[in-house]
Amino acid sequence: MQNIRLTIQYDGTRYLGWQKPEKDGAARTVSYKITTALNRMTGEEITLFAGAKTDPGVHAGSQIINFETASGLSPEEIMSGLNQYLPLDISVLSAENASERFRADLNAVSRTYECRICTARIYDVFRRQYESHCFPAPSVPLMEQAAAFLLGKHDFRAFSAGRKKKGTEKEILDIDFRQYDDRLVFSITANDYLQQMPALLAGTLLEIGAGRTAPELIADILSGKEKAGPSAEAKSLCLTEIKYV
């Protein structure tokens, strides 16, 4: 039995996230496309494990997944076959044999999402599928003040669209801002995320950067006294890195 580890990337625009939403068809998910191709290649019913479960419309530059197979196909043959059968908006970047104990979902120690904002007066038509537009540019100092309240371990249920009551404590390890002439990119690194948590964190930070909410309000949101800001647009979010021990 082989345990295959894949690094993949995908444009999430036309997908309902990584896995099947509760009330919609699995055929419109990234995992369905990959599972279907693997089932065809191996003749088996493949189960995928993913390092992060991206939400609808969110992209991935470096998603890590693994699966077990009794097939004699080599990792290189699996990568080649998947890149042949998968839609053009999903690509396999690498494939390798992993130890039998490796699980992409259980062994990850951190996940990083980027939020990308076009801050030019005129929205760049060639970047609009992967960036939101905000002019004038949000205040990075205000966003940095707000980020300081988010760092560390907290109960993030207020930053989730799910109904989960337990296991809502997560740890944000780093929030980094990079400002260019007509572009703002900020990344959020956490040990894990709740449903819609990256979008709600990014959207709340943007609200604060735009001056519509005070940085100190983060403490009230975490305590449940206030609601999180509106979600950032899914198209502006990209899973960029998953780290393992």
Side-chain angles (χ1 to χ4, degrees), residues 28 31 38 55 58-59 126 138 143 160 172 196 209 215 227 233:
R28 294 177 59 196
S31 60
L38 285 171
D55 293 313
V58 174
H59 313 296
F126 297 107
M143 296 172 76
S160 173
I172 293 186
Q196 290 291 324
K227 291 184 178 181
E233 290 185 281

Side-chain angles (χ1 to χ4, degrees), residues 2-204:
Q2 297 185 86
N3 187 17
I4 303 294
R5 170 174 168 163
L6 302 178
T7 302
I8 64 172
Q9 62 179 197
Y10 48 86
D11 179 335
T13 303
R14 69 188 185 101
Y15 295 106
L16 294 172
W18 169 254
Q19 66 180 14
K20 179 182 177 181
E22 292 181 2
K23 298 181 180 180
D24 216 316
R28 294 177 59 196
T29 64
V30 178
S31 60
Y32 177 86
K33 298 296 184 184
I34 298 174
T35 301
T36 301
L38 285 171
N39 290 348
R40 175 182 177 183
M41 291 168 57
T42 64
E44 303 169 330
E45 290 294 323
I46 296 295
T47 299
L48 298 179
F49 302 100
K53 297 176 180 177
T54 53
D55 293 313
V58 174
H59 313 296
S62 184
Q63 166 76 287
I64 307 296
I65 65 175
N66 79 287
F67 63 94
E68 292 186 340
T69 176
S71 166
L73 293 171
S74 69
E76 293 75 15
E77 289 171 325
I78 290 172
M79 180 173 69
S80 178
L82 284 174
N83 284 328
Q84 177 182 350
Y85 293 128
L86 287 171
L88 294 177
D89 51 10
I90 305 174
S91 292
V92 180
L93 303 179
S94 68
E96 60 186 306
N97 284 114
S99 71
E100 62 179 17
R101 297 176 63 86
F102 176 76
R103 275 276 298 266
D105 55 340
L106 300 180
N107 299 146
V109 294
S110 70
R111 289 97 168 159
T112 299
Y113 284 86
E114 278 189 356
C115 182
R116 300 163 180 176
I117 309 295
C118 172
T119 58
R121 180 181 293 274
I122 307 300
Y123 204 170
D124 188 330
V125 298
F126 297 107
R127 286 159 37 189
R128 64 195 304 271
Q129 190 169 339
Y130 305 103
E131 297 180 356
S132 291
H133 184 229
C134 185
F135 179 84
S139 167
V140 170
L142 285 177
M143 296 172 76
E144 288 176 334
Q145 289 180 44
F149 289 96
L150 292 168
L151 294 175
K153 290 183 179 180
H154 303 283
D155 185 336
F156 283 99
R157 74 180 65 194
F159 286 96
S160 173
R163 299 178 180 178
K164 193 173 182 181
K165 294 182 179 180
K166 295 182 179 180
T168 54
E169 183 179 277
K170 306 297 177 185
E171 182 178 9
I172 293 186
L173 305 170
D174 185 52
I175 301 178
D176 177 66
F177 299 89
R178 303 183 299 283
Q179 194 166 23
Y180 308 97
D181 289 341
D182 62 351
R183 197 166 183 247
L184 171 64
V185 179
F186 59 96
S187 59
I188 303 173
T189 300
N191 66 339
D192 201 3
Y193 296 88
L194 302 170
Q195 182 183 356
Q196 290 291 324
M197 183 174 158
L200 286 166
L201 287 170
T204 302

